[in-house]
Amino acid sequence: MYCDNTTTESIVNDSSSNYIDNIELAFSQSGVRYKEPLTNIPFTALIDKLRCPIEETKDGSYFARASMRDNGLTRSTSNMVNTSNILIIDGDSSINIATGEVEEGAPSFNLVSKRLALMGIAHIAYTSYSHKTKGERYRLIIPTLTPYTAEILPALTDHIISLIGDIQGKRLDNVKENNVWAQAWYLGRKGEQYQVIDQLGLTPFCFFPPIDRVDIGDGDGVDGDGDGDGDGVIVSSTHNIFPDKGVISLIHHFNANHPIEDVLTKYGFKLCNNGRWLHPESQSGEGGGVILDNGKYYEHGQTGKLSDNLPHDAFDIDCAYGNKTRDLALKAIGLTKLSNGLSITEHNNKCNSDLLDRSGDKVLIEIVKTLNNYIEGKGLGSQLNVEVIADYWSTIYWNPRESKFYIMQMTGYEFNVYSETQLKRVFSDLFGNLFISSGDSDLFSAVLVKLLNKVLIYKQATTLNYNVDMWASKTSLVVENGSAIATYPFKEFNVDKGALNNEITKDWLKHYPRYDEFLDLLVASRFASDRKQAYFWLHAPSNWGKSLLVSIFKKLGVVTELSVSEIEKAFNGSPVGREAHDFINSWILCVEEFRAVNAELKQLESSLSFAPKFKGTITTPLYMKLFLSAENVDSLAGEAGVDAQFANRFSSLEVGDGLIDDRDLFKHDPSSYVRGVVAYTSDSLNRKVMSLLQKDKREAVRESERLLRQYNKEHSIKIKYNSLDDTLKDIAEKIRGELKSEGVFSTHLKCTYEGKDAILVQQVAKKINTFINNNFDKSEVVKLNRRNSEIASLVDESGRSNTRSKLSVLIDGKTERKRGILIYT
């Protein structure tokens, strides 16, 4: 929104969409102090390393902005090529806008990245080794569409930092390292504080025409920059805040067009010989005012209108000495005409309107309209920052049970939780200023209360559902029917190309010949809407490699392990020691070494609802349900056979008989073996996923569901183990035979039914239970006893649909209505 993409659009479209693939840079696995030769690697390899950091000391692996001229060279400017396609900005320190002082720690990591993203500038940002220990510390890597040289590097870094601008009263400090051509940049180090934000899908930074400073006229005829053309504000030619493109800050516009020295002179300030300014009210005749490095005026004296121990910009001075209220001054600035013929206020309103139209959110549009009417009704000159409001509205909901606001984090899959008081305190830190030009604290409070109230009305939810949409292009949050649904786009798996090894791959596929088929089933489970047949039982001996198989997918971050008892707790609504992030990217729900099944497992088809401790209910989608065991599971598929409902869900995964510990390649170097299999797996999954994403969504879903159905048809566990329905018929036949051989007992009545001799057996449920207990293992007794009434129906020969209904039978020549099971003799 804040950048001009029209300059670069045609060039970007004409260039390779894979521009990142063509960037190379120098890299070293050793620390800087070792002065080892560097090697050239693709930028994509660096991205993989940033996404998956490793544990190492600070002086470890690092990279440089350009590639080496030749192999075997150490890091120096002369040894590196003199062009680069990536800019690096080190977020180590910041400049306090109020004081002009340099402070430890950079402006907000998330908000800086968000500011670049709003301008459409591609980048990847990652936190550095000292992040959080000395404030926020991070690095920004910004690909450029065309190469640049060392000569214009300082201008480029200044330009980027000026585009990012002020954030919460701070601006990035352009530290000297940013402008050193051969500077070594450490990779991120694995730890709890490490974060990475990947926005490389946006437009590469374009700085052509070269960084010539050009004038953009504001149409007021005032020579604001002193070059004699009467055009005003100086801006750069590309990726900047164009007056006719993005929202314009009224105060910034005034300050840019009115140098502070001119404003001081206009109101009677005098520059003294000591370099200080004498204000008009001075009685001593000694100048005490200074212009700070940040361009603001600071009055050391005690008698001037600005003697309040605060720095002031040109706008402040104009208000104070021009006897203007801030609101009247802002209204006047807003009337300034731009080159597009609109006033700044009209232009900003149009930008905001365009943003709202693109959002398509009718509620948001109405909210902004209501707030604008409120501000105008107060006669105030402040303008809403609709981008901030849209960002706020798209990431928040209210949980009435907890009386808390939930806000999506920009990185990861967590939500921050705030009370109303807390949110009011941190709102600006999270989202930025509510106004294009700062409103006063009373207005801020009033507008914020109205915004919070709108959330209470329109965005209440007691449950939070997570989803990764394979076709989504961006993160979103919607509230429907009392549920908040957080949706995230799919991100390709990182492939460690250095670990790919054909020898290891071939060996693994010999050990697990149907592994590629397993991956096909996994991807199909992820894409299918109907996942009833995405239950899989991998029955393999101890040491076959079940744990290794699970570890592969753990390293990819797509498996969540639960026990049968934890699943039971979830269905019972009891607290479960799991959080939403345990499931958000999970493709596999894994139950290792399970020994029994229960009825609840049939409900795991597509989703699981559970309650993390001290939090509301969360519903998460489920895809592949993988059950692993070394022993047979009689309650699933024992001597009695397989329950039809399980048979229609569970498929067998065929594996070889060999043990992983017997494979020479694995024994030689288990770590490299696992890395090789993980690399093969991630690469294969990416290719299979991309193949489906190229299809129409409905066709991809149908194709996945067809694969699951066909596999279950060919590999259902009932094929290997008898159907329980057939076993029930056998049980019924045997029970019927035993009952006939018993003759007439106290529970048997000799009778005639429909002209045939028969016995009517009463209390048959006990007899069925006794037969099951005497003839089957304990693990199968529960499963069979649950089918007691069904067995009774099979024993009965009356043809009734309900064996509990009474029968009209002839006993000793008299018709009586009795309950029981009828067996012809």
Side-chain angles (χ1 to χ4, degrees):
M1 167 149 297
Y2 285 111
C3 70
D4 177 29
N5 284 325
T6 58
T7 309
T8 65
E9 182 177 9
S10 61
I11 299 163
V12 173
N13 288 339
D14 290 341
S15 67
S16 167
S17 60
N18 297 321
Y19 72 96
I20 287 177
D21 295 339
N22 300 320
I23 300 176
E24 270 199 343
L25 45 81
F27 175 77
S28 173
Q29 195 69 49
S30 306
V32 172
R33 69 179 183 275
Y34 295 109
K35 298 183 179 179
E36 297 285 341
L38 284 78
T39 56
N40 292 333
I41 64 170
F43 183 44
T44 52
L46 176 67
I47 295 168
D48 289 341
K49 295 177 186 296
L50 295 176
R51 288 171 175 162
C52 300
I54 61 175
E55 293 182 2
E56 56 180 330
T57 59
K58 179 178 181 179
D59 188 27
S61 53
Y62 67 90
F63 66 97
R65 76 179 69 245
S67 57
M68 305 303 293
R69 294 182 182 275
D70 205 347
N71 293 327
L73 299 178
T74 56
R75 179 176 55 88
S76 69
T77 300
S78 60
N79 287 340
M80 295 170 65
V81 299
N82 61 0
T83 61
S84 174
N85 274 87
I86 58 168
L87 281 170
I88 301 106
I89 302 294
D90 203 22
D92 241 15
S93 55
S94 56
I95 297 173
N96 187 308
I97 302 302
T99 65
E101 299 293 327
V102 175
E103 299 176 349
E104 277 200 318
S108 165
F109 174 65
N110 286 336
L111 291 181
V112 166
S113 175
K114 188 179 293 186
R115 187 68 61 84
L116 287 171
L118 284 171
M119 292 186 284
I121 299 176
H123 64 281
I124 186 167
Y126 68 97
T127 53
S128 56
Y129 183 81
S130 302
H131 182 58
K132 296 295 187 183
T133 60
K134 300 176 181 178
E136 299 218 18
R137 301 208 169 197
Y138 49 84
R139 291 189 185 94
L140 307 170
I141 303 178
I142 302 170
T144 63
L145 189 62
T146 54
Y148 66 90
T149 62
E151 288 72 26
I152 66 169
L153 174 58
L156 282 175
T157 55
D158 272 342
H159 188 48
I160 283 287
I161 289 174
S162 69
L163 289 180
I164 294 170
D166 301 349
I167 293 178
Q168 299 170 350
K170 295 181 179 182
R171 176 172 290 215
L172 274 167
D173 182 22
N174 195 356
V175 296
K176 64 179 182 180
E177 290 84 358
N178 290 341
N179 302 310
V180 176
W181 190 254
Q183 177 66 34
W185 304 100
Y186 289 122
L187 271 64
R189 302 297 185 246
K190 186 175 182 180
E192 291 183 4
Q193 301 293 348
Y194 184 75
Q195 291 178 277
V196 62
I197 300 175
D198 185 345
Q199 294 282 10
L200 292 172
L202 301 174
T203 306
F205 181 64
C206 179
F207 55 86
F208 58 88
I211 307 298
D212 296 329
R213 296 177 73 79
V214 298
D215 293 337
I216 302 285
D218 60 7
D220 60 4
V222 177
D223 183 14
D225 55 343
D227 63 0
D229 65 2
D231 275 343
V233 63
I234 298 175
V235 296
S236 301
S237 58
T238 311
H239 270 124
N240 56 53
I241 305 177
F242 275 84
D244 57 347
K245 295 295 178 184
V247 172
I248 302 168
S249 164
L250 300 177
I251 294 175
H252 288 175
H253 184 273
F254 181 91
N255 290 335
N257 285 280
H258 299 83
I260 196 165
E261 295 88 350
D262 293 354
V263 176
L264 290 170
T265 301
K266 174 182 176 180
Y267 289 110
F269 287 72
K270 295 180 180 179
L271 183 62
C272 302
N273 292 333
N274 62 359
R276 298 200 169 199
W277 289 83
L278 180 70
H279 64 77
E281 298 90 350
S282 175
Q283 297 177 358
S284 67
E286 295 181 2
V290 295
I291 297 176
L292 303 172
D293 289 341
N294 64 356
K296 292 191 176 184
Y297 176 79
Y298 184 84
E299 178 62 58
H300 286 282
Q302 301 297 319
T303 57
K305 290 184 179 181
L306 301 176
S307 300
D308 54 5
N309 296 320
L310 293 174
H312 295 278
D313 58 15
F315 176 76
D316 293 334
I317 298 167
D318 187 61
C319 288
Y321 284 89
N323 296 316
K324 307 171 185 177
T325 66
R326 288 178 65 87
D327 285 315
L328 288 176
L330 290 172
K331 283 185 177 181
I333 298 168
L335 295 175
T336 304
K337 292 290 185 180
L338 300 171
S339 57
N340 58 13
L342 299 176
S343 70
I344 296 178
T345 298
E346 291 169 337
H347 166 78
N348 285 347
N349 288 338
K350 183 177 184 302
C351 288
N352 288 337
S353 178
D354 290 344
L355 174 64
L356 291 172
D357 289 343
R358 286 196 300 274
S359 77
D361 190 324
K362 293 180 181 179
V363 175
L364 176 61
I365 293 170
E366 186 58 34
I367 288 171
V368 172
K369 180 180 178 181
T370 302
L371 291 176
N372 278 329
N373 290 339
Y374 172 78
I375 294 171
E376 290 172 8
K378 294 283 187 181
L380 304 176
S382 298
Q383 277 190 294
L384 289 171
N385 191 333
V386 175
E387 287 178 359
V388 166
I389 295 173
D391 188 21
Y392 156 84
W393 189 251
S394 67
T395 58
I396 189 170
Y397 76 92
W398 165 259
N399 188 322
R401 290 181 182 170
E402 302 174 17
S403 296
K404 293 292 176 66
F405 291 94
Y406 278 65
I407 297 176
M408 293 179 82
Q409 290 188 19
M410 187 172 180
T411 58
Y413 303 103
E414 292 291 337
F415 276 69
N416 289 334
V417 183
Y418 301 96
S419 66
E420 182 175 342
T421 301
Q422 291 170 328
L423 184 53
K424 287 178 179 178
R425 191 167 62 244
V426 302
F427 182 92
S428 296
D429 293 333
L430 291 172
F431 301 105
N433 199 333
L434 265 175
F435 304 97
I436 296 170
S437 297
S438 301
D440 61 35
S441 59
D442 290 339
L443 179 61
F444 171 82
S445 298
V447 170
L448 182 54
V449 167
K450 292 180 180 296
L451 279 175
L452 297 180
N453 288 341
K454 294 297 183 183
V455 175
L456 299 183
I457 295 170
Y458 292 107
K459 303 192 76 174
Q460 286 199 22
T462 54
T463 60
L464 174 59
N465 301 335
Y466 284 87
N467 180 39
V468 173
D469 186 342
M470 304 301 285
W471 276 271
S473 59
K474 61 180 182 180
T475 301
S476 65
L477 176 72
V478 296
V479 175
E480 295 177 351
N481 302 320
S483 292
I485 304 169
T487 300
Y488 302 87
F490 165 72
K491 293 182 180 179
E492 287 189 48
F493 296 104
N494 297 320
V495 180
D496 185 354
K497 294 181 179 178
L500 286 170
N501 185 303
N502 285 335
E503 190 178 2
I504 290 174
T505 299
K506 289 178 181 178
D507 189 76
W508 172 249
L509 294 179
K510 284 181 181 179
H511 178 66
Y512 190 177
R514 306 189 75 155
Y515 186 62
D516 282 329
E517 184 178 47
F518 175 83
L519 297 181
D520 287 333
L521 292 169
L522 175 57
V523 174
S525 300
R526 183 59 186 80
F527 275 81
S529 294
D530 181 359
R531 299 186 287 276
K532 176 181 177 181
Q533 291 171 319
Y535 289 78
F536 298 93
W537 181 20
L538 195 153
H539 182 197
S542 297
N543 296 327
W544 171 81
K546 296 188 294 296
S547 296
L548 171 58
L549 180 68
V550 174
S551 73
I552 291 168
F553 295 99
K554 278 185 177 179
K555 291 181 183 296
L556 297 181
V558 296
V559 64
T560 302
E561 293 182 276
L562 286 180
S563 65
V564 173
S565 63
E566 286 177 312
I567 293 171
E568 288 176 350
K569 283 184 179 180
F571 281 116
N572 292 333
S574 301
V576 177
R578 290 290 189 274
E579 296 289 341
H581 58 73
D582 294 324
F583 289 89
I584 183 61
N585 267 323
S586 182
W587 291 23
I588 304 172
L589 174 65
C590 180
V591 183
E592 270 200 275
E593 299 302 337
F594 81 113
R595 294 179 174 82
V597 295
N598 54 36
E600 283 82 2
L601 295 183
K602 300 172 189 175
Q603 302 175 47
L604 292 175
E605 289 182 5
S606 297
S607 64
L608 175 68
S609 295
F610 64 98
K613 292 181 179 179
F614 312 116
K615 292 186 179 180
T617 301
I618 289 173
T619 300
T620 184
L622 298 179
Y623 303 102
M624 174 180 275
K625 284 74 66 176
L626 180 61
F627 295 80
L628 308 176
S629 71
E631 305 297 330
N632 197 48
V633 181
D634 290 335
S635 57
L636 177 63
E639 183 184 347
V642 182
D643 185 303
Q645 293 192 56
F646 284 127
N648 293 332
R649 289 170 169 80
F650 274 83
S651 301
S652 294
L653 292 172
E654 307 295 335
V655 299
D657 296 327
L659 306 182
I660 191 66
D661 291 338
D662 293 339
R663 307 203 71 83
D664 292 337
L665 266 180
F666 178 78
K667 288 191 293 184
H668 174 69
D669 189 350
S671 178
S672 295
Y673 193 95
V674 173
R675 284 183 62 223
V677 177
V678 170
Y680 172 77
T681 302
S682 56
D683 188 49
S684 297
L685 288 175
N686 281 341
R687 285 187 283 105
K688 293 176 189 294
V689 167
M690 290 304 126
S691 175
L692 284 175
L693 288 178
Q694 291 171 7
K695 301 177 184 291
D696 175 76
K697 182 175 181 179
R698 288 174 296 180
E699 176 54 31
V701 171
R702 285 195 295 265
E703 181 179 315
S704 299
E705 291 175 351
R706 281 196 298 269
L707 177 60
L708 294 177
R709 284 196 302 271
Q710 185 62 29
Y711 189 85
N712 182 259
K713 182 178 178 180
E714 297 173 0
H715 300 277
S716 168
I717 56 176
K718 71 181 178 183
I719 295 173
K720 187 174 181 180
Y721 304 92
N722 293 329
S723 167
L724 181 58
D725 290 342
D726 294 334
T727 302
L728 295 183
K729 293 176 184 177
D730 293 339
I731 292 172
E733 188 63 36
K734 290 176 181 178
I735 291 175
R736 190 185 301 116
E738 285 192 6
L739 292 173
K740 282 183 180 181
S741 66
E742 288 178 354
V744 179
F745 286 87
S746 59
T747 56
H748 299 10
L749 296 174
K750 190 175 181 180
C751 65
T752 301
Y753 181 72
E754 294 184 346
K756 296 180 183 180
D757 292 337
I759 57 172
L760 191 65
V761 182
Q762 298 177 313
Q763 300 179 11
V764 72
K766 291 183 179 179
K767 290 187 172 292
I768 293 173
N769 284 344
T770 300
F771 179 88
I772 291 171
N773 290 331
N774 291 339
N775 290 277
F776 291 93
D777 292 335
K778 290 181 179 180
S779 59
E780 296 186 89
V781 165
V782 174
K783 174 173 66 177
L784 290 170
N785 278 336
R786 282 202 298 263
R787 308 290 289 271
N788 192 297
S789 60
E790 190 174 342
I791 296 171
S793 296
L794 292 170
V795 173
D796 182 70
E797 294 182 315
S798 69
R800 289 171 295 169
S801 59
N802 182 6
T803 56
R804 295 182 179 179
S805 62
K806 290 183 178 181
L807 277 173
S808 295
V809 295
L810 195 63
I811 300 175
D812 296 331
K814 183 180 178 182
T815 300
E816 297 185 33
R817 289 185 60 77
K818 295 283 187 180
R819 284 192 174 90
I821 298 299
L822 187 85
I823 301 173
Y824 291 116
T825 58

